[in-house]
Amino acid sequence: MYKIGLVEDEKNLSSLVEKYLINEGYEVEVFNNGEDASAHIKDNFSLWILDIMLPGVISGYDLIKSIRQENPTMPIIFTSARDQDIDKVMGLELGSDDYVAKPYSVRELMLRVKNLLNRSYGMVSPKKSNTEEFNGYEIDYDKRIVMENGVNINLTSKEYDLLLFLLKNKSKAFSRDQILDNVWGMDYFGSDRVVDDLMRRLRQKMPNLSVETIYGFGYRLLV
């Protein structure tokens, strides 16, 4: 299931858009200001719908910059009540994929969401989706989503990358340095203790994972 982040301060409009998105089969999380949305930038969303003008200090422009820093390929749709070319130009220059001027048709927005998701992730039928069940978890590799009993587990991008590395290398033992190279990249020069911290967080969110600690060396995912 695709997860949509909706940032809209007009509560009547956000409620209406949320209902339409849910009816289309999407999971939706609504934020009424930039500050609340900013705290969830690292969550596993499939697409963001961002209003440009928001109450508080953090605007839609600020949010797209933060989202792009975390995930350069994240699909983003901007909305603006001003309908000015400068909004559209700035939004597209910052990396938005689409732009909708207010007032807009919610049905049109649904079509734009569907089309952007299809362009970004491909039109994958449920029977052909790239998924795996492991220890009670359902991992959707195409959408980078992990579910347990139908409920999405909100993994950060790095937590998911670590999980993906472990799943692709079941029963193999890896040192902390090897995990650093594969999850953080060869150009990472920080402490290998970040591996322990990330592993601890992953275990907390997915306690059914059987990850063995090899003391003085690293970790191994047991099957």
Side-chain angles (χ1 to χ4, degrees), residues 8 44-45 60 64 96 101 169 210:
E8 173 58 63
N44 281 331
F45 288 101
I64 193 173
S96 71
N169 298 280
S210 298

Side-chain angles (χ1 to χ4, degrees), residues 20-221:
Y20 269 78
L21 289 169
I22 291 174
N23 287 337
E24 291 292 327
Y26 305 122
E27 182 181 351
V28 186
E29 189 162 353
V30 179
F31 306 98
N32 296 125
N33 57 68
E35 283 72 16
D36 289 343
S38 181
H40 293 269
I41 292 297
K42 296 184 178 180
D43 292 358
N44 281 331
F45 288 101
S46 306
L47 179 147
W48 284 88
I49 302 173
L50 306 177
D51 187 19
I52 290 179
M53 301 302 295
L54 296 169
V57 176
I58 298 178
S59 69
Y61 293 135
D62 298 319
L63 286 175
I64 193 173
K65 292 177 183 177
S66 299
I67 292 171
R68 282 285 173 256
Q69 288 177 355
E70 180 65 26
N71 186 345
T73 62
M74 173 65 67
I76 299 174
I77 297 176
F78 256 131
T79 69
S80 172
R82 292 186 293 177
D83 192 17
Q84 293 184 2
D85 288 341
I86 186 63
D87 283 343
K88 183 175 182 179
V89 170
M90 286 187 65
L92 294 174
E93 284 183 346
L94 287 171
S96 71
D97 300 280
D98 205 348
Y99 176 91
V100 182
K102 293 181 178 179
Y104 54 76
S105 164
V106 180
R107 292 184 182 276
E108 178 188 353
L109 178 62
M110 295 305 105
L111 288 175
R112 290 175 180 265
V113 168
K114 181 179 180 180
N115 290 337
L116 182 52
L117 287 171
N118 287 338
R119 293 202 308 269
S120 301
Y121 302 105
M123 299 181 66
V124 182
S125 64
K127 293 183 179 179
K128 296 182 180 179
S129 62
N130 186 16
T131 63
E132 176 184 0
E133 290 189 6
F134 185 79
N135 287 20
Y137 302 108
E138 182 178 349
I139 300 96
D140 190 320
Y141 294 109
D142 295 321
K143 300 177 184 177
R144 292 175 61 90
I145 292 175
V146 180
M147 308 280 287
E148 182 181 17
N149 298 323
V151 178
N152 182 51
I153 300 174
N154 287 323
L155 299 180
T156 65
S157 179
K158 271 291 180 283
E159 288 166 355
Y160 180 86
D161 290 342
L162 175 58
L163 173 65
L164 183 62
F165 175 70
L166 294 173
L167 289 171
K168 287 184 175 180
N169 298 280
K170 300 182 185 75
S171 300
K172 296 181 181 179
F174 291 93
S175 68
R176 290 179 176 84
D177 286 338
Q178 288 174 315
I179 296 174
L180 274 176
D181 290 343
N182 283 276
V183 177
W184 277 264
M186 299 290 290
D187 56 348
Y188 178 82
F189 296 105
S191 168
D192 63 4
R193 290 303 172 186
V194 298
V195 175
D196 298 328
D197 181 62
L198 191 66
M199 189 69 73
R200 175 183 57 79
R201 301 202 315 263
L202 184 62
R203 282 168 162 168
Q204 287 177 345
K205 293 183 179 181
M206 301 180 67
N208 294 335
L209 284 181
S210 298
V211 181
E212 177 187 16
T213 299
I214 305 173
Y215 292 98
F217 181 72
Y219 298 92
R220 170 170 47 210
L221 179 63

